Amino acid sequence: MRNVELIPVQDSQTPFLLPLFSCSVSAGFPSPASDYTDELFDLNRLLLRHPDATYLVRVSGESMKNAEIHEGDLLAVDKQMEADHNHIVVAVVDGECTVKRLVCEHGTWWLKPENPDYQPWEIHDAGAVRIWSVVTHVLHELIPGKLAALLRTRD
Amino acid sequence: MYALVDCNNFYVSCERVFQPRLDGRPVVVLSNNDGCLISRSAEAKALGLQMGDPYFQVKPLLEQHQVAVFSSNYALYGDMSRRVMWYLSQVAPAVEVYSIDEAFLDLHGMERFVVNSLESFARTVRANVLARTGIPTCVGIAPTKTLAKLANRLAKKNPEMGGVCHLDTAERRRWTLEQVDVEDVWGIGRQYAQKLYTAGITTAAGLAGCSEAFARKHLGGVVGARLVRELQGYPCQGLAPSEDGTLSRRTLCVSRTFGRPLTDFPDVTGAVSAFASRAAEKLRRQGDAAHLMTVFLSKSRFGLEPPPYSCSAVLTLPVATNDTIELVRFARAALKRLWQPGNRYTKAGVILNGLEPEGQTQLTLFEPAPVSEKRAKLMAELDALNRRFGKGTVKLASLVLPPGKAQAPWEGQAQWRTPQYTTRLEDLLLVG
């Protein structure tokens, strides 16, 4: 039998603290339900699936309006995901970041807007377009709040 | 086995992640206050720009070659660094965060765990860091930390290695040691390098061939002997506590060069109060209290005024404390002792020494007992509020700027700072 080698595994020394949202819940009188409640569900766990690879970006313009992505929306994007046909992606075209749908038709790849006013972009040369990340979630405000306020201050 | 993962041109790489148009162009990042170059892209290095070049000196060259220039954006670099380190802590048994852009991994026992070899493991790690953060890295793997540092250096210098250098065999180790000048060995500073050159030792290989007696005599005793042993491939140091909070500091220093020379006492007082207040926050975060405080003031070395260029005052505090109000009070008292009217001051700083765990303070015989409990609670509230609502939400009145002023007179210039893409809602990347 071979020797058993013990390798001490340390706890991760870098806790991952999320920078954007935080909330706390204060406790009042002990509630009969207190034994049955779970931890409050953390939306970050849904939005930021890979804490090191997920980034938040904001949308400008309406080129994706038919995909329900509108000006001022917040997108959660994943940088390590492999982009595939029909994914909505953030792509780098001529040094600028743009959000479009990545589509493969008859062997040709396209970056397609979801708005008839905009032109689709055919990817002739794979080197000319870089996929920055894949969009995983859209955060859209139905009642004007912080995001709408941000839009106003930008103009 | 240890690996050193080091990010390439880290600050420039961070800027490039969010500004893809900078790819392939020369880019530099300036130090605090836009003083000198602290990060250069490969293209900028090729133009002959050196680390630490003062901005005003190289400005014509930068303009001639249309080099993109940025002020440092530490909020962004800090967050990108945290992403890299978080990923590394997921794939290695133990990580030492050595600085903002480099980490040692302890790969002890990993040889059996990784499928192919440590080298292919390193290539995977490199590719994943790039995919997750957009930051390119180099990895050096070797039996000791000192050798891992050398291996990393070679991986950086020789692009054909594909960013990974593994010193697995004795021949490769020998070859590496011969490539590296002795002054580039981790732990050899300018003075030791001079000593070694006069002794005829010019490469790392020469240093590795030293006797222990020589190392002990000329390279600082046991530290030097360990360094030589490490170069020979015998590990003498494991992972140290990291920069990321597990490391408790024994000295705290907050100092800044002013945005412009200051001649008014209230302006400098504002600066020193801000530094003392920041130092107090840092002190509380690591759960310590200080009982020695040094305040220093500096003038420009390049001006017409005669030396001394710097003066300092040391205060022994009656009781060790981490109370912002107390520390600011003492700092101002020290400043009053130092102040000489008519001088143009360019820099100031507050240093705290004699740190001890808070709550274990020695009471004094003659001073009245401190009102510590209430004040400790006040400080805790202060920190909690500033954590929740952002830095500087609640501060001492002496740090509040006069109405209509956006920036304190001492605050540095950062003319070309990019948005805080990952830490401020207002600054998130816009995609069209």
Side-chain angles (χ1 to χ4, degrees), chain B residues 25-75:
Chain B
R25 282 185 55 194
V27 183
V28 297
V29 172
L30 304 180
S31 61
N32 257 332
N33 210 8
D34 296 342
C36 47
L37 311 191
I38 49 169
S39 183
R40 304 156 297 150
S41 70
E43 299 81 2
K45 287 176 189 170
L47 292 175
L49 293 163
Q50 298 294 320
M51 191 76 172
D53 277 350
Y55 171 67
F56 72 90
Q57 267 180 15
V58 292
K59 198 173 166 195
L61 188 65
L62 295 172
E63 278 168 0
Q64 185 195 336
H65 294 279
Q66 297 186 322
V67 178
V69 177
F70 295 102
S71 306
S72 35
N73 179 353
Y74 286 107

Coordinates of all heavy atoms in Angstrom, one line a residue, chain B residues 25-75:
Chain B
R25 N -2.6 48.8 -28.9 CA -2.1 50.1 -28.8 C -1.2 50.3 -27.6 O -1.4 49.6 -26.6 CB -3.2 51.1 -28.7 CG -3.9 51.4 -30.0 CD -5.0 52.5 -29.7 NE -4.4 53.7 -29.1 CZ -5.1 54.7 -28.6 NH1 -6.4 54.7 -28.5 NH2 -4.5 55.8 -28.1
P26 N -0.2 51.2 -27.6 CA 0.6 51.4 -26.4 C -0.3 52.1 -25.3 O -1.0 53.1 -25.7 CB 1.7 52.3 -26.9 CG 1.3 52.9 -28.2 CD 0.3 52.0 -28.8
V27 N -0.2 51.6 -24.1 CA -1.0 52.2 -23.0 C -0.1 52.3 -21.8 O 0.7 51.4 -21.5 CB -2.2 51.2 -22.7 CG1 -3.1 51.8 -21.6 CG2 -3.0 50.9 -23.9
V28 N -0.3 53.4 -21.0 CA 0.4 53.4 -19.7 C -0.6 53.9 -18.7 O -1.6 54.6 -19.0 CB 1.6 54.4 -19.7 CG1 2.7 54.0 -20.7 CG2 1.1 55.8 -20.1
V29 N -0.3 53.5 -17.4 CA -1.1 54.0 -16.3 C -0.2 54.8 -15.3 O 1.0 54.3 -15.1 CB -1.8 52.8 -15.5 CG1 -2.4 53.3 -14.2 CG2 -2.8 52.1 -16.4
L30 N -0.6 55.9 -14.8 CA 0.2 56.8 -14.0 C -0.1 56.5 -12.5 O -1.2 56.0 -12.1 CB -0.1 58.2 -14.3 CG 0.0 58.7 -15.7 CD1 -0.3 60.1 -15.9 CD2 1.5 58.4 -16.2
S31 N 0.9 56.8 -11.7 CA 0.7 56.6 -10.2 C -0.3 57.6 -9.7 O -0.7 58.5 -10.4 CB 2.1 56.9 -9.6 OG 2.5 58.2 -9.8
N32 N -0.6 57.5 -8.4 CA -1.4 58.5 -7.7 C -0.9 59.9 -8.0 O 0.3 60.1 -8.1 CB -1.2 58.3 -6.2 CG -2.3 57.6 -5.6 OD1 -3.5 57.7 -6.1 ND2 -2.1 56.9 -4.5
N33 N -1.9 60.8 -8.3 CA -1.5 62.2 -8.5 C -0.8 62.3 -9.9 O -0.2 63.3 -10.2 CB -0.5 62.6 -7.4 CG -0.6 64.1 -7.2 OD1 -1.5 64.7 -7.7 ND2 0.3 64.6 -6.4
D34 N -1.0 61.3 -10.8 CA -0.5 61.4 -12.1 C 1.0 61.7 -12.2 O 1.4 62.5 -13.1 CB -1.3 62.4 -12.9 CG -2.8 62.0 -13.1 OD1 -3.1 60.8 -12.9 OD2 -3.6 62.9 -13.4
G35 N 1.7 61.2 -11.3 CA 3.2 61.5 -11.2 C 4.0 60.8 -12.2 O 4.7 61.4 -13.0
C36 N 4.1 59.4 -12.1 CA 5.0 58.7 -13.0 C 4.3 57.4 -13.5 O 3.3 57.0 -13.0 CB 6.3 58.4 -12.3 SG 6.1 57.8 -10.6
L37 N 5.0 56.8 -14.5 CA 4.5 55.6 -15.1 C 4.6 54.4 -14.1 O 5.7 54.1 -13.6 CB 5.2 55.2 -16.4 CG 5.4 56.3 -17.4 CD1 6.0 55.7 -18.7 CD2 4.2 57.1 -17.7
I38 N 3.5 53.7 -13.9 CA 3.6 52.5 -13.0 C 3.1 51.3 -13.7 O 3.2 50.2 -13.2 CB 2.8 52.7 -11.7 CG1 1.4 53.2 -11.9 CG2 3.5 53.6 -10.7 CD1 0.5 53.1 -10.7
S39 N 2.5 51.4 -14.9 CA 2.2 50.1 -15.6 C 2.3 50.5 -17.1 O 1.8 51.5 -17.5 CB 0.8 49.7 -15.2 OG 0.4 48.5 -15.9
R40 N 2.9 49.6 -17.9 CA 3.1 49.8 -19.3 C 2.7 48.6 -20.1 O 3.0 47.5 -19.7 CB 4.6 50.1 -19.6 CG 5.2 51.3 -18.8 CD 6.7 51.1 -18.7 NE 7.0 49.9 -17.9 CZ 8.1 49.2 -18.1 NH1 9.0 49.6 -19.0 NH2 8.4 48.1 -17.4
S41 N 2.0 48.8 -21.2 CA 1.7 47.7 -22.0 C 3.0 47.3 -22.8 O 3.9 48.0 -22.8 CB 0.6 48.1 -23.0 OG 1.1 49.0 -24.0
A42 N 3.0 46.1 -23.4 CA 4.1 45.6 -24.1 C 4.5 46.6 -25.2 O 5.7 46.9 -25.4 CB 3.9 44.3 -24.7
E43 N 3.5 47.2 -25.8 CA 3.8 48.2 -26.9 C 4.5 49.4 -26.3 O 5.4 50.0 -27.0 CB 2.5 48.6 -27.6 CG 1.7 47.5 -28.3 CD 0.9 46.7 -27.3 OE1 0.9 47.0 -26.1 OE2 0.3 45.7 -27.8
A44 N 4.1 49.8 -25.1 CA 4.7 51.0 -24.5 C 6.1 50.7 -24.1 O 7.0 51.5 -24.2 CB 3.9 51.4 -23.3
K45 N 6.4 49.5 -23.6 CA 7.7 49.1 -23.2 C 8.6 49.1 -24.4 O 9.8 49.5 -24.4 CB 7.7 47.7 -22.6 CG 7.1 47.6 -21.2 CD 7.0 46.1 -20.7 CE 6.2 46.1 -19.4 NZ 5.9 44.7 -19.0
A46 N 8.1 48.7 -25.6 CA 8.8 48.7 -26.8 C 9.3 50.1 -27.3 O 10.2 50.2 -28.0 CB 8.0 48.0 -27.9
L47 N 8.5 51.1 -26.8 CA 8.9 52.5 -27.2 C 10.0 53.0 -26.3 O 10.5 54.1 -26.5 CB 7.7 53.4 -27.0 CG 6.5 53.2 -28.0 CD1 5.3 54.1 -27.6 CD2 7.0 53.5 -29.4
G48 N 10.4 52.1 -25.3 CA 11.5 52.6 -24.5 C 11.1 53.2 -23.2 O 11.9 53.7 -22.4
L49 N 9.8 53.3 -22.9 CA 9.3 53.8 -21.7 C 9.6 52.9 -20.5 O 9.5 51.7 -20.6 CB 7.7 54.0 -21.8 CG 7.3 55.0 -22.8 CD1 5.8 54.9 -23.2 CD2 7.6 56.4 -22.3
Q50 N 10.1 53.5 -19.4 CA 10.6 52.8 -18.3 C 9.6 52.9 -17.1 O 8.9 53.9 -17.0 CB 11.9 53.2 -17.8 CG 13.0 53.1 -18.9 CD 13.4 51.6 -19.2 OE1 13.4 50.8 -18.3 NE2 13.6 51.4 -20.4
M51 N 9.6 51.9 -16.3 CA 8.8 51.9 -15.1 C 9.3 53.1 -14.2 O 10.5 53.3 -14.1 CB 9.1 50.6 -14.3 CG 8.2 50.4 -13.1 SD 6.6 49.9 -13.8 CE 5.8 49.5 -12.2
G52 N 8.4 53.9 -13.7 CA 8.8 55.0 -12.9 C 9.2 56.3 -13.6 O 9.6 57.3 -12.9
D53 N 9.2 56.3 -14.9 CA 9.5 57.6 -15.6 C 8.5 58.6 -15.2 O 7.3 58.4 -15.2 CB 9.3 57.3 -17.1 CG 10.5 56.7 -17.8 OD1 11.6 56.6 -17.1 OD2 10.5 56.3 -18.9
P54 N 9.0 59.8 -14.8 CA 8.1 60.9 -14.5 C 7.3 61.3 -15.8 O 7.8 61.4 -16.8 CB 9.0 62.1 -14.1 CG 10.3 61.4 -13.7 CD 10.4 60.2 -14.6
Y55 N 6.0 61.5 -15.5 CA 5.1 61.8 -16.7 C 5.6 63.0 -17.5 O 5.6 63.0 -18.7 CB 3.7 62.0 -16.2 CG 2.7 62.5 -17.2 CD1 2.4 61.7 -18.3 CD2 2.2 63.8 -17.2 CE1 1.6 62.2 -19.3 CE2 1.4 64.3 -18.2 CZ 1.1 63.5 -19.2 OH 0.3 63.9 -20.2
F56 N 5.9 64.1 -16.7 CA 6.2 65.4 -17.4 C 7.5 65.2 -18.3 O 7.6 65.9 -19.3 CB 6.4 66.5 -16.4 CG 7.7 66.5 -15.6 CD1 8.8 67.1 -16.1 CD2 7.7 65.8 -14.4 CE1 10.0 67.0 -15.3 CE2 8.8 65.7 -13.6 CZ 10.0 66.3 -14.1
Q57 N 8.4 64.2 -18.0 CA 9.6 64.0 -18.8 C 9.3 63.3 -20.1 O 9.9 63.6 -21.1 CB 10.6 63.2 -17.9 CG 11.6 64.1 -17.2 CD 12.6 63.3 -16.4 OE1 12.7 62.0 -16.6 NE2 13.2 63.9 -15.5
V58 N 8.4 62.3 -20.0 CA 8.1 61.5 -21.2 C 6.9 62.0 -22.0 O 6.6 61.3 -23.0 CB 8.0 60.0 -20.8 CG1 9.3 59.4 -20.3 CG2 6.8 59.8 -19.8
K59 N 6.3 63.1 -21.5 CA 5.1 63.5 -22.2 C 5.3 63.7 -23.7 O 4.4 63.2 -24.5 CB 4.7 64.9 -21.6 CG 3.2 65.2 -21.9 CD 2.8 66.5 -21.1 CE 1.5 67.0 -21.7 NZ 1.3 68.3 -21.2
P60 N 6.4 64.3 -24.2 CA 6.5 64.4 -25.7 C 6.5 63.1 -26.4 O 5.9 62.9 -27.4 CB 7.9 65.1 -25.8 CG 8.2 65.8 -24.5 CD 7.5 64.9 -23.5
L61 N 7.2 62.1 -25.8 CA 7.3 60.8 -26.4 C 5.9 60.1 -26.4 O 5.5 59.5 -27.4 CB 8.2 59.9 -25.5 CG 8.6 58.5 -26.1 CD1 9.3 58.7 -27.4 CD2 9.4 57.7 -25.1
L62 N 5.1 60.3 -25.3 CA 3.8 59.7 -25.2 C 2.9 60.3 -26.3 O 2.1 59.6 -27.0 CB 3.2 60.0 -23.8 CG 3.9 59.3 -22.6 CD1 3.3 59.8 -21.3 CD2 3.7 57.8 -22.7
E63 N 3.0 61.7 -26.5 CA 2.2 62.3 -27.5 C 2.6 61.9 -28.9 O 1.7 61.7 -29.8 CB 2.3 63.8 -27.3 CG 1.3 64.3 -26.2 CD 1.6 65.7 -25.8 OE1 2.4 66.4 -26.3 OE2 0.8 66.2 -24.8
Q64 N 3.9 61.8 -29.1 CA 4.4 61.5 -30.4 C 3.9 60.1 -30.9 O 3.5 60.0 -32.1 CB 5.9 61.5 -30.4 CG 6.6 61.3 -31.7 CD 8.1 60.9 -31.6 OE1 8.7 61.2 -30.5 NE2 8.6 60.2 -32.5
H65 N 3.8 59.2 -30.0 CA 3.4 57.8 -30.3 C 1.9 57.6 -30.0 O 1.5 56.4 -30.1 CB 4.2 56.8 -29.7 CG 5.7 56.8 -30.2 ND1 6.1 56.3 -31.3 CD2 6.8 57.4 -29.7 CE1 7.4 56.5 -31.5 NE2 7.8 57.2 -30.5
Q66 N 1.2 58.6 -29.6 CA -0.2 58.5 -29.3 C -0.5 57.4 -28.3 O -1.4 56.6 -28.5 CB -1.1 58.2 -30.6 CG -1.0 59.4 -31.5 CD -1.9 59.2 -32.7 OE1 -2.0 58.1 -33.2 NE2 -2.5 60.3 -33.1
V67 N 0.3 57.4 -27.2 CA 0.1 56.4 -26.2 C -1.1 56.8 -25.4 O -1.3 58.0 -25.0 CB 1.4 56.4 -25.3 CG1 1.2 55.4 -24.1 CG2 2.6 56.1 -26.1
A68 N -2.0 55.9 -25.1 CA -3.1 56.1 -24.2 C -2.7 56.2 -22.8 O -2.0 55.3 -22.3 CB -4.2 55.0 -24.4
V69 N -3.0 57.3 -22.1 CA -2.5 57.6 -20.7 C -3.7 57.5 -19.8 O -4.8 58.2 -20.1 CB -1.8 58.9 -20.7 CG1 -1.4 59.2 -19.2 CG2 -0.7 59.0 -21.6
F70 N -3.6 56.8 -18.7 CA -4.7 56.8 -17.7 C -4.2 57.0 -16.3 O -3.0 56.7 -16.0 CB -5.4 55.4 -17.7 CG -6.1 55.1 -19.0 CD1 -5.5 54.3 -19.9 CD2 -7.3 55.7 -19.3 CE1 -6.1 54.0 -21.1 CE2 -7.9 55.4 -20.5 CZ -7.3 54.6 -21.4
S71 N -5.0 57.7 -15.5 CA -4.7 57.8 -14.1 C -5.1 56.5 -13.4 O -5.9 55.7 -14.0 CB -5.6 58.9 -13.4 OG -5.5 60.1 -14.1
S72 N -4.5 56.2 -12.3 CA -4.8 54.9 -11.7 C -6.2 54.9 -11.1 O -6.6 55.9 -10.5 CB -3.7 54.5 -10.6 OG -3.3 55.6 -9.9
N73 N -6.8 53.8 -11.3 CA -8.2 53.6 -10.9 C -8.2 52.4 -9.9 O -8.6 51.2 -10.3 CB -9.0 53.3 -12.1 CG -10.5 53.1 -11.9 OD1 -10.9 53.0 -10.7 ND2 -11.3 53.0 -12.9
Y74 N -7.9 52.6 -8.7 CA -7.7 51.5 -7.7 C -8.9 50.7 -7.4 O -8.9 49.6 -7.1 CB -6.9 51.9 -6.5 CG -5.5 52.2 -6.8 CD1 -5.0 53.5 -6.8 CD2 -4.6 51.2 -7.1 CE1 -3.7 53.7 -7.1 CE2 -3.3 51.4 -7.4 CZ -2.8 52.7 -7.4 OH -1.5 52.9 -7.8
A75 N -10.1 51.4 -7.5 CA -11.3 50.7 -7.3 C -11.5 49.6 -8.3 O -11.9 48.4 -8.0 CB -12.5 51.6 -7.4

